[in-house]
Amino acid sequence: MGDVSFRGDDSSETAGIVLPSRPVLMAGGVAALAAAAGGLAVLVTLTAIGWITAPHVGLGGGLVGVLRSAGLLWLVAHHVQVTVRGVGPIGLLPLGLVLLPGLLIVRAGRWMTHAGYVTRLRHVAHAALAIAFPYALFAGAIAMASGTPVVTPSLWQAVCGGFLLALVAGGLGAARGLAPWRDLAGLVPPRPRSVILGMAAALAVLTACGAVLAGASLAMHLSSYTRAMSALSPGFAGSALLLLAGLSYLPNSVIWAIAYMLGPGFSFGLGTAVSPSGSALGAVPAFPMLAALPVGPRAAFPPWLGFFILALPYLAGALAGLMTVRIAPTPFLEAAPLWGLLTGSLTALVIGFGARLSGGPLGAGRLAWVGPVGAEVGLVALLEVGVTAALVAGAANWLLLRRHIRRLASASARSAHQAALADHLDPGLNGTTAGMAPPSAPGQPRQTRQPRISGAMPALVVDETDDAGGHRIYYDPWAADRDA
């Protein structure tokens, strides 16, 4: 529909406020409704399959009950807590289900760019807001329509969760539509980019190790998983739905495994604990994925393997600190540990936030809280990942500068040797020697020009004291000597 146009009066232009035009708002509403309706249609289909193949589950109300159940499942995909009468709040929600609306909203954001509504990076925020507001309203309407006297979803969580998810995913999609991620990352200054990439590297290592640990635990308890599936006897269609449910809880299990590696572990109800030193569990719901929980007061792994598991967060912190100074070194030795600590602290913040989202209540009784404690996991991650990143960043930055200084010293010695050899083999004109200044006038001391050796700092060294953005003019005192 053409390029993006903005309208505003003189006062708004003077204040520097740019408002999106009406077509952008309309396009955002269309994109938001298409993404929300697409996700809801997928979940309605899955709910209908479960209702047809397993009518004893008792969705109630016929087709209306199917639609309400699909609406509740759509809200769960946005991490909206529901309250069941006589049971209590249900907040242990699958994080993997968030990928469904998230990917659809990313696609909606890319459509906004391809349709011509986003032509510059500053337009990304306008497109994200244009998608987020109608999407939040749609989520609130679904929450009001899906509620029953038995099950009540949280209205404020539906509105806030829908808005935040649409804002982030829509912005990412609109930005990705403009350019590839590599080109967008190149627009970030070196110092913030080093922190972001260092944090991403640490999280990638922890996520990969957590996935391997969760898979190994499930393989060790495969017989318990088989018994749980046999006890439920879900049939072919029910087994497929149970598999999808297990996959949707896979991110939760990975985060729980990360909490296990860090040391605090997690709990499955009041008075329970699962940690590297041992486990104390009570009755566990008959869900096949829960068969991977380690049981028994003794450690689940041999001592040598347990030591390696507990060392993994330190390896992630070391990688974060190394990448932080490798991408953007600093000439100040005392600044490098601080940047490494910042990278590790942000990593710990993400881990703590993920731990908080991965758990929740399963009623108001003994299972009032299931999963890791976000604040505890984040604090331990700060001590392990953050401190290690700070130490490794300081050491790596010192080694990098030390190697550069040695390279400059070697170049200086080599240049001096070459100058001395040139003086011996190639005398200059008028009795002068190459590399020496002409004879001085009578009565004046003889001046000898020494070779000046200098070199550039390592690539992308960030000067922490440069407040002029690199726009400085320097005076070269040796310019006249070179001209002579």
Side-chain angles (χ1 to χ4, degrees):
M1 295 181 63
D3 295 335
V4 180
S5 59
F6 298 93
R7 296 198 304 266
D9 53 11
D10 295 338
S11 61
S12 64
E13 294 180 356
T14 304
I17 300 175
V18 182
L19 298 177
S21 61
R22 184 177 180 183
V24 176
L25 296 176
M26 294 177 61
V30 171
L33 292 179
L40 188 59
V42 172
L43 296 178
V44 166
T45 303
L46 294 177
T47 307
I49 292 175
W51 177 59
I52 294 172
T53 58
H56 59 276
V57 297
L59 293 178
L63 185 59
V64 177
V66 171
L67 295 177
R68 285 182 174 176
S69 299
L72 290 174
L73 193 58
W74 187 84
L75 294 173
V76 167
H78 295 74
H79 212 272
V80 177
Q81 181 175 286
V82 297
T83 302
V84 181
R85 188 180 62 185
V87 177
I90 305 297
L92 183 60
L93 307 176
L95 293 178
L97 207 56
V98 181
L99 291 177
L100 175 61
L103 292 177
L104 291 174
I105 298 172
V106 168
R107 181 61 184 169
R110 296 189 66 175
W111 175 81
M112 293 282 289
T113 301
H114 295 160
Y117 295 98
V118 179
T119 57
R120 298 180 181 273
L121 278 179
R122 65 172 179 266
H123 302 160
V124 170
H126 303 156
L129 289 173
I131 295 175
F133 278 111
Y135 197 91
L137 294 177
F138 186 86
I142 293 295
M144 296 179 63
S146 302
T148 64
V150 179
V151 181
T152 304
S154 174
L155 179 59
W156 73 269
Q157 288 187 10
V159 174
C160 295
F163 178 83
L164 292 178
L165 180 62
L167 183 67
V168 175
L172 290 176
R176 177 60 182 84
L178 286 175
W181 292 120
R182 182 181 296 272
D183 296 342
L184 294 175
L187 301 177
V188 182
R191 175 57 65 198
R193 185 168 68 247
S194 68
V195 174
I196 295 173
L197 294 181
M199 180 178 61
L203 291 175
V205 169
L206 290 174
T207 302
C209 295
V212 172
L213 183 60
S217 180
L218 182 60
M220 293 172 59
H221 301 85
L222 190 59
S223 59
S224 301
Y225 178 86
T226 305
R227 287 195 301 268
M229 289 291 293
S230 301
L232 292 176
S233 60
F236 178 77
S239 298
L241 293 177
L242 277 178
L243 179 61
L244 290 177
L247 292 177
S248 65
Y249 275 101
L250 185 59
N252 301 63
S253 63
V254 171
I255 296 176
W256 289 16
I258 293 175
Y260 184 91
M261 288 188 301
L262 290 170
F266 54 91
S267 63
F268 208 93
L270 300 177
T272 63
V274 178
S275 65
S277 59
S279 304
L281 289 174
V284 177
F287 185 65
M289 285 293 292
L290 297 179
L293 293 177
V295 295
R298 303 180 61 181
F301 299 97
W304 64 270
L305 185 56
F307 174 79
F308 178 74
I309 290 174
L310 293 176
L312 291 175
Y314 296 96
L315 295 178
L319 179 62
L322 182 61
M323 288 198 62
T324 300
V325 299
R326 187 65 183 87
I327 295 174
T330 174
F332 300 97
L333 295 179
E334 66 276 8
L338 297 179
W339 288 115
L341 181 61
L342 176 61
T343 303
S345 301
L346 293 177
T347 305
L349 182 63
V350 174
I351 293 173
F353 184 71
R356 175 62 182 85
L357 291 180
S358 67
L362 281 179
R366 186 180 66 86
L367 301 179
W369 180 258
V370 176
V373 180
E376 183 178 353
V377 173
L379 179 60
V380 175
L382 174 62
L383 296 177
E384 296 183 9
V385 180
V387 175
T388 305
L391 295 176
V392 172
N397 189 77
W398 177 76
L399 291 175
L400 183 64
L401 295 181
R402 183 168 175 263
R403 184 179 63 179
H404 181 70
I405 292 174
R406 284 186 174 181
R407 188 164 56 246
L408 288 182
S410 176
S412 177
R414 186 166 54 251
S415 180
H417 176 72
Q418 293 175 355
L421 186 62
D423 290 343
H424 179 70
L425 299 179
D426 188 15
L429 298 176
N430 299 327
T432 60
T433 304
M436 301 295 294
S440 57
Q444 294 183 357
R446 181 181 179 85
Q447 298 179 357
T448 303
R449 184 174 63 193
Q450 299 294 336
R452 176 176 177 265
I453 304 300
S454 62
M457 294 295 290
L460 289 180
V461 171
V462 179
D463 187 359
E464 315 294 346
T465 63
D466 187 7
D467 57 353
H471 301 285
R472 297 180 182 274
I473 299 177
Y474 293 93
Y475 170 71
D476 187 1
W478 293 278
D481 296 337
R482 286 198 295 270
D483 294 339

